[in-house]
């Protein structure tokens, strides 16, 4: 396959709101207004945008968890939204998702082994195969095979997100869509999880679509960033370019929201006016 791993073409998603009056047409939310981009295999695209800009809608359409109003999602050349059910089930091996909330996204009544193996079970893998692969992936994310017997409440937020990443890895996917994977975590833990995702990419050649409202987070991991604003991509480019020359007004606010690195301590000889601030 020579084309891009993921091609998103002119995606539109309208949500109908409940009808307020019997005879009036129901209102609509235009969550996505024609979004297009491609991701080459082994690369990572960051999607940044404020709350309500359509990021999670985009993630759900790319994951084929919901249908677009119009437009196409092609993974490895296959149009996911026109695939017959059984073919889509098999194709799901190639794309997995990591959600924001490491508490809500893991079923508290299931062992880590059940949680991590679930995508393999859905692919019809044998019990032995599931166990072998689950042990491999928990170790790949820095946990122990003995952790498979435990339950989610026995882990910290950062460890739970490692479990979620292990589950996403278990089918050896080509693409991982991560929707705000570190926003619920402490800043110190965020860097550890992002570094892990980066290491896994180097090791397994994974392609990421990483969603965040935080430009610093996507900068950490992504070669290319698309800024989503009111359901449209308003600009796209390498993160360094967006930081240096933001073109859209909203990108400027995002750049301004990223804390600057600590300024160097002024030398004792400098006058206060020569030091920063
Ligand atoms: P983000 O993830 O960037 O915060 P979302 O994709 O969740 O944005 O939402 C985009 C817009 O679509 C918002 O206006 C949101 O209220 C609306 N929306 C999202 N999901 C639904 C739904 N199931 N029904 C109706 N409106 C929705
Ligand atoms: Mg969201």
């Amino acid at each position: 396959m020579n084309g891009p791993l993921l091609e998103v073409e002119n995606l539109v998603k309208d949500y109908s709101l409940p009808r307020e009056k019997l005879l009036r047409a129901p209102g609509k939310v235009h969550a996505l207004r024609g979004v297009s981009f491609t991701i080459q295999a082994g690369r990572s695209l960051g999607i940044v945008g404020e709350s309500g800009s359509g990021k999670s809608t985009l993630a759900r359409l790319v994951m084929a968890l919901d249908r677009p109003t119009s437009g196409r999602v092609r993974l490895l050349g296959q149009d996911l939204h026109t695939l017959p059910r059984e073919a889509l089930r098999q194709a799901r091996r190639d794309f997995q998702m990591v959600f924001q909330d490491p508490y809500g996204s893991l079923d508290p009544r299931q062992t880590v082994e059940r949680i991590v193996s679930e995508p393999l079970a859905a692919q019809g893998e044998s019990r032995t195969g599931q166990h072998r692969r689950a042990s491999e992936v928990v170790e790949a994310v820095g946990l122990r095979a003995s952790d498979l017997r435990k339950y989610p409440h026995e882990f910290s937020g950062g460890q739970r997100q490692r479990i979620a990443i292990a589950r996403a890895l278990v089918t050896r996917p080509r693409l991982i869509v991560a929707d705000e994977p570190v926003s619920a975590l402490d800043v110190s833990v965020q860097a550890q999880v992002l570094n892990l995702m980066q290491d896994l990419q180097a090791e397994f050649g994974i392609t990421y679509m990483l969603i965040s409202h935080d430009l610093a987070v996507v900068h950490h991991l992504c070669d290319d960033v698309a800024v989503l604003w009111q359901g449209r991509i308003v600009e796209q480019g390498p993160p360094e370019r967006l930081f240096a020359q933001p073109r859209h007004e909203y990108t400027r606010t995002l750049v301004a929201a990223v804390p600057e690195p600590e300024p160097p301590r002024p030398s004792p000889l400098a006058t206060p006016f020569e030091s920063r601030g």
Side-chain angles (χ1 to χ4, degrees):
M1 229 217 56
N2 296 321
L5 182 85
L6 178 70
E7 295 171 88
V8 167
E9 203 181 298
N10 212 9
L11 267 193
V12 173
K13 179 67 181 179
D14 298 333
Y15 293 107
S16 303
L17 294 174
R19 201 184 280 267
E20 282 174 16
K21 294 242 169 65
L22 192 59
L23 296 176
R24 196 184 290 163
K28 283 203 168 126
V29 176
H30 303 292
L32 293 179
R33 301 166 187 254
V35 167
S36 304
F37 58 84
T38 57
I39 314 182
Q40 302 295 328
R43 310 284 290 180
S44 4
L45 175 70
I47 308 275
V48 287
E50 64 189 344
S51 174
S53 57
K55 304 183 297 296
S56 295
T57 299
L58 179 58
R60 281 201 303 276
L61 297 183
V62 167
M63 291 299 302
L65 297 173
D66 198 1
R67 294 195 148 271
T69 304
S70 62
R72 259 194 283 273
V73 176
R74 273 200 213 87
L75 185 78
L76 296 160
Q78 283 187 313
D79 183 340
L80 296 184
H81 292 282
T82 59
L83 277 185
R85 231 178 116 109
E86 176 54 22
L88 177 61
R89 188 186 66 77
Q90 286 178 28
R92 287 196 182 280
R93 187 177 273 277
D94 291 324
F95 56 102
Q96 297 288 345
M97 186 156 176
V98 175
F99 296 90
Q100 167 172 0
D101 177 8
Y103 295 88
S105 67
L106 306 181
D107 186 337
R109 293 159 305 181
Q110 295 196 347
T111 59
V112 172
E113 173 146 16
R114 281 287 294 281
I115 291 170
V116 168
S117 317
E118 190 276 326
L120 275 185
Q123 294 288 333
E125 178 76 44
S126 71
R127 277 297 175 98
T128 343
Q130 287 178 38
H131 180 73
R132 194 182 317 122
R133 180 68 186 146
S135 314
E136 272 171 25
V137 288
V138 290
E139 285 176 0
V141 300
L143 299 172
R144 290 190 209 132
S146 57
D147 289 330
L148 288 173
R149 291 190 295 271
K150 298 184 182 167
Y151 288 84
H153 74 261
E154 298 176 64
F155 297 90
S156 68
Q159 289 171 326
R160 286 177 198 221
Q161 216 48 333
R162 287 173 193 265
I163 295 169
I165 293 170
R167 176 176 59 187
L169 283 176
V170 81
T171 59
R172 305 178 200 276
R174 304 290 305 276
L175 173 73
I176 291 184
V177 174
D179 189 356
E180 304 270 11
V182 299
S183 348
L185 306 177
D186 291 343
V187 175
S188 58
V189 181
Q190 288 190 0
Q192 292 168 15
V193 171
L194 292 171
N195 287 339
L196 168 67
M197 290 176 68
Q198 208 161 26
D199 294 346
L200 295 170
Q201 179 169 48
E203 199 173 340
F204 304 118
I206 298 162
T207 305
Y208 288 119
M209 181 175 131
L210 172 67
I211 292 176
S212 178
H213 65 282
D214 183 344
L215 201 48
V217 165
V218 297
H219 190 193
H220 197 112
L221 201 70
C222 299
D223 331 289
D224 196 23
V225 177
V227 179
L228 196 61
W229 188 72
Q230 297 191 355
R232 286 195 179 88
I233 292 179
V234 292
E235 75 174 294
Q236 185 171 348
E240 295 75 23
R241 208 276 291 152
L242 296 195
F243 271 108
Q245 296 168 301
R247 289 180 190 146
H248 191 267
E249 187 56 41
Y250 176 64
T251 315
R252 277 182 221 127
T253 26
L254 273 177
V255 170
V258 174
E260 293 204 19
E262 291 271 303
R265 273 163 196 267
S267 112
L269 294 177
T271 68
F273 299 105
E274 286 170 329
S275 63
R276 297 190 49 166

